[in-house]
Amino acid sequence: MVNKNAIILAAGKGTRMKSKLYKVLHEVCGRPMVDHVLTQVEKTQPNQIVTIVGHGAEKVKDYLGDRSQYALQAEQLGTGHAVLQAEPLLKDEEGLTIVVSGDTPLLTAETFEKLFAYHHDKGAKATVLTATAPDPTGYGRIIRNDIGIVEKIVEQKDTNDKEAAVTEINTGVYCFDNQTLFKALHQVTNQNAQGEYYLTDVVEILKNQGEIVAAYRMPHFEESMGVNDRIALSQATKVMRHRINTLHMQNGVTLIDPEATYIEVGVEIGSDTIIEPNVVLKGNTKIGSDCFVGAGSTIIDSTIDDNVQITSSTIESAVMHTGSNIGPNSHLRPSAEIGEEVHIGNFCEIKNAKIGNRTKVGHLSYVGDATLGTDINVGCGVVFVNYDGVQKHQATVGNHVFIGSNSNVVAPVALADHTFVAAGSTITDDVPEKAMAIARARQTNKADYWQKLPVANDQDWQ
């Protein structure tokens, strides 16, 4: 088996992004562009991966960690100069090396494998991955001779009128014989419009030495899309989103309007789940089978078990167990765990709380820093008062408890099994089993109070 290596170019600043964020760390469907590239490269199982870093080097290394080796391009002097920085790590390696840009998030492992295979079959020293562009402006052009053999690659700023009209473009991805690559790089000069050392010049150098240079034309141009500005970023995101949504639908998920459904890479969804428009699914989210996620819902880093109903609500870093439901317009905040067959109604907020099976939190209630048992009824407007201005406190509620509307449960406090809280109460002390707690002033009716008002004899008020 031929040894394979990979070099990822990720040293450019990306000034056209007009951003404080390093270009290759801009996200496409939830992951930085360079992560997409590295993930696909990893699937080809190379012996070594070297990422060339420059601007924002430490942030890139912090994100990718030990998934790659790194080489620093301290000065950005062109793509040829960038690849040369990997020489100390790779120069003695035999086999093939693929070179790919870190701002091409749509490339796939399948394409890389085809490039490796084509290069090997042709016995080439260099193979360029090309595509036919509807508008080739900005791309290097592939210049072939009369019988279709690649002669050279000409960068946009160095083209003449005839070369500029060519629509076959260089995608920025190459496969080289590894040792041949580094020997040729030492022959590259910067005699061009940019004053840079172009990796593309290696092609012409090898041609002049009588080596075989090949070009593998990929069938879909959009896969080769490089991202240099916010417009291209949005276009790449749209393509990636289409891929993600298509895969989910092929796996049995119903997306009512795929064009208006936003699912990040890595989200898992079970079959027969229905997703309505304007739903956003992000991060490490797992959704089971036979679920319903209603329009306008957002789910982030959460686990949703089977047969869960979510109506226009926000769920972040939370868990909903089988048969539970929520919404509309409710919010599960981090560390909320909703038990089986639990009902969370409209305009509720749950945070750092565990809700036991079959409990109902109907509407307009807040449950924070609490553990609730099974079969509880939480009335309208109930507030778990968990914060004293300095620290948070826990409340515990047993099984089969009734909490009347407009009650305040002031933590730390415990309500035992089978207890009742009368509507309008403020509970500050523990409630023993099977007791009813009433914590409100007795009602007093003031007879003939109306007569004491200045307007009592005003005909307009009577």
Side-chain angles (χ1 to χ4, degrees):
M1 181 179 293
V2 177
N3 287 336
K4 293 185 291 187
N5 304 290
I7 298 173
I8 300 175
L9 304 181
K13 186 176 183 180
T15 54
R16 280 181 282 175
M17 297 296 288
K18 292 181 169 55
S19 174
K20 297 182 289 296
L21 183 64
Y22 186 41
K23 182 172 76 166
V24 298
L25 292 179
H26 279 268
E27 292 189 352
V28 172
C29 293
R31 292 186 185 176
M33 292 189 286
V34 70
D35 186 312
H36 285 291
V37 175
L38 178 56
T39 297
Q40 297 304 313
V41 166
E42 287 171 329
K43 291 179 181 179
T44 69
Q45 298 182 319
N47 295 74
Q48 293 192 67
I49 301 172
V50 180
T51 300
I52 310 300
V53 293
H55 294 285
E58 292 307 314
K59 290 184 178 180
V60 175
K61 291 164 71 173
D62 287 345
Y63 185 87
L64 299 181
D66 60 4
R67 295 167 61 191
S68 172
Q69 299 183 80
Y70 301 94
L72 177 66
Q73 186 187 23
E75 295 182 87
Q76 275 61 63
L77 302 177
T79 52
H81 177 260
V83 173
L84 196 58
Q85 307 315 301
E87 186 176 37
L89 296 170
L90 296 178
K91 66 178 180 179
D92 296 325
E93 296 291 324
E94 295 183 351
L96 309 180
T97 294
I98 192 172
V99 179
V100 57
S101 297
D103 60 2
T104 52
L106 301 176
L107 289 166
T108 64
E110 181 182 5
T111 295
F112 294 150
E113 293 286 13
K114 288 180 178 179
L115 178 60
F116 276 125
Y118 188 87
H119 177 90
H120 184 266
D121 292 345
K122 294 296 181 181
K125 293 295 184 181
T127 301
V128 186
L129 181 65
T130 74
T132 300
D135 178 6
T137 304
Y139 291 92
R141 308 304 202 278
I142 303 298
I143 307 302
R144 298 177 182 265
N145 63 18
D146 294 340
I147 59 174
I149 296 174
V150 176
E151 292 290 340
K152 58 182 177 179
I153 303 171
V154 182
E155 297 297 327
Q156 170 74 38
K157 293 187 177 182
D158 297 312
T159 58
N160 56 38
D161 291 343
K162 182 179 179 181
E163 292 166 340
V166 172
T167 58
E168 185 180 7
I169 57 94
N170 174 23
T171 66
V173 179
Y174 311 85
C175 186
F176 295 101
D177 173 83
N178 185 70
Q179 294 186 0
T180 300
L181 166 64
F182 289 107
K183 290 177 182 177
L185 282 171
H186 285 286
Q187 302 173 49
V188 173
T189 69
N190 63 347
Q191 303 303 306
N192 51 62
Q194 292 284 83
E196 295 182 349
Y197 297 90
Y198 293 152
L199 179 61
T200 50
D201 287 352
V202 170
V203 171
E204 192 169 4
I205 289 169
L206 295 180
K207 285 290 296 182
N208 292 338
Q209 294 174 354
E211 302 289 0
I212 296 175
V213 174
Y216 171 65
R217 192 183 315 216
M218 62 194 303
H220 304 296
F221 167 73
E222 67 180 15
E223 185 180 331
S224 69
M225 187 185 302
V227 174
N228 292 310
D229 57 28
R230 306 290 180 136
I231 298 169
L233 184 67
S234 70
Q235 292 168 340
T237 298
K238 185 175 182 179
V239 174
M240 182 69 76
R241 189 169 70 244
H242 175 75
R243 282 186 192 173
I244 293 168
N245 291 355
T246 298
L247 182 60
H248 284 299
M249 289 187 288
Q250 289 171 340
N251 289 334
V253 178
T254 295
L255 303 183
I256 301 300
D257 185 358
E259 294 300 315
T261 304
Y262 307 90
I263 305 175
E264 290 188 347
V265 174
V267 171
E268 299 177 16
I269 309 174
S271 62
D272 292 316
T273 285
I274 299 172
I275 311 289
E276 287 194 330
N278 297 315
V279 166
V280 179
L281 307 178
K282 306 179 72 173
N284 185 28
T285 289
K286 296 178 175 61
I287 300 175
S289 299
D290 301 292
C291 294
F292 171 82
V293 183
S297 295
T298 297
I299 305 176
I300 306 168
D301 294 327
S302 296
T303 298
I304 311 299
D305 289 346
D306 297 343
N307 294 292
V308 171
Q309 306 287 306
I310 298 167
T311 305
S312 304
S313 293
T314 298
I315 301 170
E316 50 179 330
S317 301
V319 176
M320 293 187 70
H321 290 294
T322 302
S324 58
N325 66 82
I326 186 172
N329 303 309
S330 285
H331 188 182
L332 298 186
R333 292 174 59 195
S335 299
E337 182 176 356
I338 308 305
E340 295 182 6
E341 300 179 38
V342 166
H343 168 66
I344 307 295
N346 54 303
F347 297 101
C348 293
E349 182 174 321
I350 315 294
K351 176 242 174 204
N352 191 31
K354 184 173 182 179
I355 311 294
N357 297 345
R358 298 176 301 281
T359 287
K360 296 177 174 59
V361 183
H363 38 288
L364 298 164
S365 293
Y366 170 73
V367 182
D369 296 289
T371 300
L372 276 63
T374 64
D375 303 288
I376 296 170
N377 185 86
V378 178
C380 176
V382 170
V383 175
F384 280 71
V385 185
N386 58 333
Y387 184 48
D388 64 8
V390 178
Q391 59 184 331
K392 301 291 180 70
H393 299 279
Q394 286 283 328
T396 303
V397 181
N399 302 325
H400 300 278
V401 173
F402 180 93
I403 304 177
S405 296
N406 199 35
S407 295
N408 298 309
V409 180
V410 183
V413 71
L415 282 61
D417 293 349
H418 300 283
T419 53
F420 295 80
V421 174
S425 295
T426 295
I427 304 302
T428 58
D429 297 321
D430 292 352
V431 182
E433 187 172 354
K434 298 182 180 180
M436 172 183 277
I438 303 175
R440 62 191 185 208
R442 287 187 177 273
Q443 180 175 326
T444 301
N445 295 332
K446 302 294 185 179
D448 298 320
Y449 181 75
W450 171 261
Q451 299 302 322
K452 299 178 182 180
L453 298 179
V455 296
N457 297 315
D458 190 334
Q459 294 296 321
D460 291 337
W461 280 79
Q462 293 182 16

